[in-house]
Amino acid sequence: MREQIAPDLYDSWSEEQCAGIEVVDGMVVVRPSASKRHNRLARILANALEVAAGPDWNADTDFDVRLQDVPLTNRRPDVVVYRAETIDITPTRPEHVLLVVEVVSPGSETTDRIVKVEQYATAGIAFYWRVEQAANGVPLVYTYVLDPATRTYRDGDVFTGVVKVAAPFPVEIDLGQI
């Protein structure tokens, strides 16, 4: 029988041990391997968000965000915009995070479209972007904004080709370079 993992045990594992997994309700979930297109898209988004965010925020890829301690739930969003002053604080908590981006891939559709939306909203993360890799090669970006009173996301704008938003900060990202 499998047992739930406690935060202190998980925190003792190396980065290499944690790299390809998430922990949901205390149980290890193996993440599917990302394609080169997926990784490039995440990197382009992270780089553009990093530049636009200014000095108070960092944008990075592929690290844990601890959504809850009991039962342990750690997610690894494809892109995270977080407070620069928390760069050395581990684990990264929802209150450190402004925006998470998930790039939908085969095998992550339900998790990225339904499960993570609810988890990130419940945790209080203000902005969520979901990127769909369209068959024509031009990604679609769905944006969501947290309603703090209900801890649910409201639908924002949908972009194809170029993402141009004013919040959480002004940024324009050309997705045609994929």
Side-chain angles (χ1 to χ4, degrees):
M1 184 164 122
R2 294 176 36 179
E3 293 185 24
Q4 289 183 322
I5 295 172
D8 56 340
L9 175 61
Y10 183 83
D11 293 343
S12 73
W13 292 354
S14 70
E15 175 59 30
E16 292 76 27
Q17 290 173 299
C18 300
I21 65 169
E22 292 181 320
V23 180
V24 180
D25 294 331
M27 305 305 273
V28 172
V29 177
V30 177
R31 297 174 34 202
S33 294
S35 68
K36 290 184 284 187
R37 177 176 296 279
H38 174 283
N39 290 340
R40 178 168 170 72
L41 184 53
R43 186 170 40 82
I44 288 168
L45 287 163
N47 290 346
L49 290 166
E50 174 89 17
V51 169
D56 293 337
W57 299 97
N58 293 337
D60 218 332
T61 59
D62 200 33
F63 66 89
D64 286 342
V65 175
R66 170 111 5 121
L67 299 180
Q68 66 184 37
D69 289 311
V70 180
L72 179 61
T73 299
N74 280 351
R75 288 295 190 178
R76 280 189 169 239
D78 294 312
V79 179
V80 181
V81 177
Y82 62 96
R83 293 184 187 286
E85 66 198 27
T86 66
I87 193 167
D88 293 319
I89 297 175
T90 302
T92 298
R93 300 280 184 174
E95 58 268 22
H96 305 153
V97 177
L98 178 64
L99 163 69
V100 292
V101 180
E102 293 289 357
V103 179
V104 179
S105 295
S108 75
E109 295 96 335
T110 301
T111 302
D112 291 342
R113 293 176 186 154
I114 299 169
V115 177
K116 288 183 178 181
V117 175
E118 182 179 328
Q119 289 177 332
Y120 294 147
T122 300
I125 296 172
F127 295 90
Y128 176 66
W129 293 4
R130 188 184 82 237
V131 182
E132 298 280 345
Q133 300 183 68
N136 66 2
V138 180
L140 290 169
V141 179
Y142 295 82
T143 63
Y144 302 89
V145 179
L146 184 67
D147 177 342
T150 62
R151 291 275 177 133
T152 58
Y153 285 118
R154 294 187 318 262
D155 290 345
D157 294 320
V158 178
F159 300 93
T160 186
V162 176
V163 177
K164 187 174 183 179
V165 298
F169 41 77
V171 63
E172 187 171 328
I173 307 168
D174 181 2
L175 299 177
Q177 58 184 315
I178 304 302

